[in-house]
Amino acid sequence: MVFYPVIFLCTACLFLALLRDRFRFWTTVGVSLGVTLLATVAAYAASNLAGGSVVGAHAGCGVGTLFFLGGSFFLFQNNPFHKISAALLCMANFSYLQLFLPLLMGILPLSAAGTLGAVLSIVFTLLLNALLGFCLYRPFQRYSGRGGSGFVLGMALTLAFQYVLCTGRLDMFLTIRTPFHRLLLATFLYAAVIFCFRSVYHAGRYQAETAREEARARMIQMESGDYVDLLVAVREVNSAQKSGEYALDTIAQLLREDQADRIPIYINMTKRNLETSPILARYHDNPYLNAVIATKAAFAFQNNIDFQSNAFTGDVPFTTAELCILVNELLTRACSEAAHFDGDRRLRFTAIPGEDSLRLEAVYSGSLPEKNTFSPKGKQFRDLLAWLFDDSFQEESELRGLDNSKEIALAHSGSVSVAGTGGEVILRVKLRY
């Protein structure tokens, strides 16, 4: 016994649960109920025209599902593959129930005819659709904004295969002897479909969590660098305060010793000393970039690094935030590595705009780690595969501390490179526009 109103109500609920609606709640629900009514009428008409209990039932369900598929192009935002997959899922559910319910009625100790059969049919229809809806809701919703993919196409073909399998058309090809064996294979296919969808969903969640943790670690690293810059600025302020107090004490002492004629000379000398303070120097016309470079210059001064800057960006079409991040990451790494260099510590920073690009470059005293060639001794086969196909550890270590610079350069069709020569390391970022 086929109850088209119940079947199509479940179909409407599956479409609402799996697909992302385009309109407001009551509009979507109202249109879905209207489609359900039209699909029910069309299903009964198609069933009567087709004739035969089995053929007519499948014809009616197919025609009704086509109404939902057509309405989904108006109601939902998903790509066509998702909508077709939802329609095939509803057809597969109907075909599975047409296989499962007669077997269930046959093994019940009580007579399943009449009211009891109708109740059981409705109950198991609701249970199967609810189970599939709960299992597939999150995977469909998570990837609702994506385009078509080979995975979704494969799942759609699997659901189509599931539908044909439950109708018994493949018994000869698959050497299926009894309806029970067909039911076992169909149940296994359902489990495989749910497993694949849930696996892809959890893999996507894991990647998102990993990316979030990496972004959080990167943010913490940037914030720790900001605290270092803050400490440098505070030290410079304390140094300036002590210099000012010393200057006032010196002037007071000159006044006590009746040497007022030496005060103007001492004031001019103090002004010249203040002009040499790295944090008070002018490095760029943009006040934000100037603040970033000045803070790094103060850090270099406190660590006995000979710092030179020649930064000019001109009217480049990049935001101040992007330029500040680039300059900050370049100088942070350059200063921290130059501070640990044994020998003359030097750092030279330049920013040069071109016809269609902007080049930022930091050259500092240091050396890159030696690259080690791969040796199979003591390694496993997966180590060889990782060496062949994955990014090497040395490449990642060479670009450490430049994660945001890499993202910005990638967004502007640029590049980030690291080179070492003659006791110096060259960090270079090139942005195109």
Side-chain angles (χ1 to χ4, degrees), residues 69-92:
L69 180 60
S72 67
F73 288 95
F74 170 73
L75 285 177
F76 303 104
Q77 303 177 11
N78 303 64
N79 66 77
F81 286 103
H82 285 179
K83 298 170 183 177
I84 294 173
S85 297
L88 289 173
L89 175 64
C90 296
M91 290 297 298

Side-chain angles (χ1 to χ4, degrees), residues 63-356:
V63 170
T65 305
L66 285 177
F67 272 82
F68 283 97
L69 180 60
S72 67
F73 288 95
F74 170 73
L75 285 177
F76 303 104
Q77 303 177 11
N78 303 64
N79 66 77
F81 286 103
H82 285 179
K83 298 170 183 177
I84 294 173
S85 297
L88 289 173
L89 175 64
C90 296
M91 290 297 298
N93 289 348
F94 175 79
S95 182
Y96 183 84
L97 288 170
Q98 293 300 301
L99 172 64
F100 170 73
L101 289 174
L103 294 176
L104 176 67
M105 303 298 183
I107 63 173
L108 289 178
L110 301 176
S111 175
T115 305
L116 179 60
V119 171
L120 289 177
S121 177
I122 293 174
V123 168
F124 280 99
T125 300
L126 295 174
L127 287 177
L128 178 64
N129 285 277
L131 175 64
L132 270 298
F134 281 121
C135 290
L136 301 181
Y137 161 73
R138 292 188 181 276
F140 267 82
Q141 289 294 330
R142 182 175 184 84
Y143 298 105
S144 59
R146 305 284 182 89
S149 64
F151 173 77
V152 177
L153 178 60
M155 290 296 101
L157 293 176
T158 303
L159 291 172
F161 178 82
Q162 170 84 327
Y163 170 78
V164 178
L165 172 68
C166 292
T167 59
R169 301 300 182 95
L170 301 177
D171 289 354
M172 182 181 300
F173 298 99
L174 300 178
T175 63
I176 298 175
R177 301 181 182 277
T178 63
F180 179 72
H181 291 95
R182 192 195 315 157
L183 179 66
L184 286 180
L185 182 57
T187 304
F188 171 77
L189 272 181
Y190 262 132
V193 168
I194 294 174
F195 174 79
C196 291
F197 270 109
R198 299 292 297 183
S199 297
V200 171
Y201 165 68
H202 285 290
R205 283 191 58 187
Y206 175 76
Q207 290 180 348
E209 290 293 334
T210 303
R212 190 179 296 113
E213 289 298 325
E214 291 178 355
R216 182 173 177 272
R218 192 182 306 167
M219 184 179 298
I220 292 175
Q221 184 179 3
M222 289 182 61
E223 298 233 346
S224 63
D226 294 339
Y227 293 139
V228 173
D229 295 341
L230 181 62
L231 177 60
V232 169
V234 170
R235 286 177 177 174
E236 285 296 314
V237 171
N238 290 335
S239 176
Q241 181 182 7
K242 291 180 180 178
S243 299
E245 292 176 353
Y246 178 76
L248 292 175
D249 292 340
T250 302
I251 292 173
Q253 183 64 27
L254 292 175
L255 290 174
R256 284 194 295 268
E257 296 176 356
D258 294 330
Q259 298 182 15
D261 55 331
R262 297 181 57 186
I263 293 178
I265 300 174
Y266 181 76
I267 291 176
N268 291 331
M269 182 180 66
T270 303
K271 286 182 177 180
R272 287 194 299 270
N273 291 335
L274 289 176
E275 289 176 355
T276 60
S277 176
I279 204 168
L280 299 179
R282 187 176 183 83
Y283 301 96
H284 198 277
D285 293 335
N286 188 313
Y288 297 98
L289 283 174
N290 183 75
V292 173
I293 300 173
T295 306
K296 300 304 178 183
F299 178 87
F301 177 77
Q302 294 175 10
N303 288 273
N304 300 320
I305 301 173
D306 181 17
F307 182 85
Q308 298 178 13
S309 176
N310 182 19
F312 176 74
T313 55
D315 297 328
V316 293
F318 308 121
T319 65
T320 299
E322 289 177 327
L323 294 176
C324 286
I325 291 173
L326 291 169
V327 173
N328 180 68
E329 288 194 343
L330 285 177
L331 292 181
T332 296
R333 173 168 170 178
C335 288
S336 61
E337 293 190 0
H340 294 87
F341 182 74
D342 295 331
D344 294 335
R345 301 172 179 175
R346 295 182 301 274
L347 195 161
R348 184 176 69 255
F349 174 71
T350 56
I352 305 174
E355 294 183 359
D356 59 350

Side-chain angles (χ1 to χ4, degrees), residues 5-50:
V6 177
I7 293 172
F8 291 136
L9 277 176
C10 293
T11 301
C13 291
L14 273 180
F15 271 79
L16 290 172
L18 300 182
L19 304 180
R20 177 172 292 184
D21 52 344
R22 181 179 281 118
F23 304 103
R24 293 185 179 181
F25 175 79
W26 290 114
T27 302
T28 305
V29 172
V31 174
S32 297
L33 290 176
V35 173
T36 302
L37 180 61
L38 292 175
T40 302
V41 174
Y44 278 117
S47 178
N48 292 331
L49 289 176

